[in-house]
């Protein structure tokens, strides 16, 4: 799974323990320093960065478990917005 650099740039601002280099799909977001307040701030930044309002139903532990799980959910929302489904 390729994690786009634009997404990584937004995400990195909320991951105080992330090292240099690309984030991997299996990287644990909590271990990288994302906490509940960070999730709220991250959602705002993602909405601003992708000009898309994100639904409340993505606010669950599964979505925010790893870099890959968050990107998978976000990219599905972006794809559905582009195709109208």
């Amino acid at each position: 799974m390729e994690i786009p650099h634009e997404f990584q740039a937004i995400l990195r601002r909320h991951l105080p323990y992330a090292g240099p280099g690309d984030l991997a799909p299996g990287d644990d977001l909590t271990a990288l320093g994302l906490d509940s307040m960070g999730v709220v701030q991250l959602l705002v930044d993602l909405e601003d960065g992708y000009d898309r309002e994100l639904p409340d139903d993505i606010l669950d532990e599964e979505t925010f478990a790893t870099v890959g799980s968050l990107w998978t959910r976000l990219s599905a929302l972006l794809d559905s917005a582009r195709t109208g489904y």
Side-chain angles (χ1 to χ4, degrees), residues 29-30 58-66 69:
L29 292 174
T30 302
I58 72 163
L59 293 173
D60 59 35
E61 285 185 37
E62 186 177 319
T63 298
F64 288 91
T66 66
S69 62

Side-chain angles (χ1 to χ4, degrees), residues 16-45:
Y17 306 132
D22 285 345
L23 298 169
D27 288 348
D28 182 289
L29 292 174
T30 302
L32 294 175
L34 186 66
D35 60 18
S36 57
M37 286 301 294
V39 167
V40 173
Q41 294 168 337
L42 173 57
L43 284 172
V44 170
D45 284 353

